[in-house]
Structure formats: C-alpha cells, structure tokens
Amino acid sequence: GVDLAACGSRFVVTASRDQTVKFWDLTTGFCDATVSDHTDWVRCIAVRGACEAPRGGGDSSSPPDAAGDASSRLALVASSGNDRTIRVVDAHGKRDAVCELRGHDHVVEALSFLCSSALPAAGAAGRSSPSRDRLASASRDRTVRLWSVSSGGSCLATFGGHENWVRGVVLHPSGDFVVSCGDDRTVRVFDVKGGRCLRTIEDAHP
C-alpha cells in the first residue's frame, strides 16, 4: 500500500508483504526510516497530518486539548494487515510508537483517519477536534471498528452487519459517521453516536 496524504510534504509512506512500513524522502529519493514492528504482511496504512499549536497568548494554565494528551497534535501513521494488530507511530523523528490496537479477529483490510482538511480550525484555546484522534478500521472478521489513538489507544465502537469481508472504510468529514463497503457488495453508513447502521445500499456493484 502507498499513502500520499500529508505527514510532512517531504515523505511518502509505503507498506509491504515484507512486514515493514517505510518512509521515503521525496527530496533525496532514499528511505528515511523503516518500521519493522509487524509480524506478517502489512496490507494497509493511513496517515494523519500534524496539527499546528496555538500561536501566542497561551498560558500554562490553559486546559489540555480535547484529546487529553500530546499525541493529539502529532502527525501519525497507522498500519495493519495479516497480524490483525493496528500499530500507530509518530510520523516524524524516530517514528516512536504511539499505541497498539488489538481486537479484530481476522486480517485488517483498510484504515482511515479523518481527513485533516475536513477538520474545524483550532479554537481560541488551540484545542483540536476530538474526531482528530479517531481511526476507523475494516476487517475480514466482517466488522468495522472505531478507535481512539490518544492516551494509549482504545476501541470506541464495533459495528457489525456486513455478511462478508469488509474491504474499505472512511470517516465522514463531520466525524459522526463511518462508511464501509465489502465483499457482500453493500455500502453501509454507521452512526457513531447511536452505534447503529443508518443506511445500507444493497448490491452497490454487481
């Protein structure tokens, strides 16, 4: 897999059957870093751009951002695949691990952060949107999961309903919906707050 989303304009991130995730420097053409934490084929990756810190006027007594920890502002890369484990790392520096997410019972086929350009601008206090810390995953176990990648990571919701492998997933720009599709030829829209399927498009493709 290849993800061209912004994690800093200098890099492209790739995933491979060789069980690694690589960061490529577009300026030099060389591999800048290799993450080798997976134990099997890495099938999917997702990238989240960094959030700018508030400018001026802030004081140390200001409340923390909505996510509750520093990872809310980091550029992140999430990866997963045949080992069923989602690994999230800092996209810069030493690519330190941010969290490890477990729960799927089969191969993870797709991951999605909320698109950075769809997020509301930081408010006067410099807080980032809670949706920024959400990651969606789709799996051959026929489920879609919504995760928080802050504070060590946790599963926020599990959505069922698909009758075959789930191949794709995206987070709606509002952060209120998860949209998925799979080998059952359906597209399903899940309500994050209500924890239920709002709409199913049957036989979306022949």
Side-chain angles (χ1 to χ4, degrees):
V2 179
D3 198 321
L4 298 176
C7 66
S9 58
R10 288 180 51 201
F11 297 101
V12 168
V13 187
T14 61
S16 171
R17 292 188 187 187
D18 66 7
Q19 305 178 17
T20 69
V21 174
K22 289 180 177 285
F23 294 76
W24 301 89
D25 190 320
L26 293 176
T27 303
T28 65
F30 291 106
C31 180
D32 183 75
T34 300
V35 177
S36 304
D37 295 331
H38 286 283
T39 60
D40 208 332
W41 180 354
V42 188
R43 290 180 174 268
C44 54
I45 51 179
V47 176
R48 187 190 77 179
C51 178
E52 291 186 3
R55 297 180 181 178
D59 61 71
S60 59
S61 62
S62 297
D65 59 35
D69 71 345
S71 67
S72 178
R73 298 194 179 281
L74 295 176
L76 301 178
V77 173
S79 59
S80 193
N82 285 23
D83 64 5
R84 302 174 292 177
T85 301
I86 302 169
R87 301 179 187 276
V88 182
V89 300
D90 183 353
H92 297 296
K94 297 181 179 179
R95 276 74 182 191
D96 294 329
V98 173
C99 63
E100 185 177 294
L101 307 171
R102 297 177 181 270
H104 281 297
D105 297 326
H106 208 325
V107 172
V108 178
E109 290 280 354
L111 297 169
S112 176
F113 283 110
L114 194 65
C115 178
S116 296
S117 61
L119 290 166
R127 295 186 181 187
S128 57
S129 166
S131 299
R132 180 176 164 75
D133 287 313
R134 291 175 180 167
L135 174 71
S137 60
S139 171
R140 293 184 186 180
D141 64 11
R142 306 183 182 186
T143 69
V144 172
R145 286 180 178 253
L146 184 66
W147 310 85
S148 169
V149 298
S150 66
S151 303
S154 61
C155 183
L156 301 176
T158 301
F159 302 104
H162 280 284
E163 298 176 359
N164 209 327
W165 294 356
V166 191
R167 296 282 193 172
V169 65
V170 293
L171 279 166
H172 187 273
S174 67
D176 294 332
F177 308 102
V178 179
V179 184
S180 61
C181 63
D183 284 0
D184 59 4
R185 298 183 296 174
T186 67
V187 175
R188 297 175 187 266
V189 181
F190 297 99
D191 177 16
V192 170
K193 294 179 180 178
R196 62 189 182 90
C197 182
L198 287 180
R199 177 170 295 180
T200 301
I201 302 174
E202 301 282 355
D203 296 323
H205 292 277

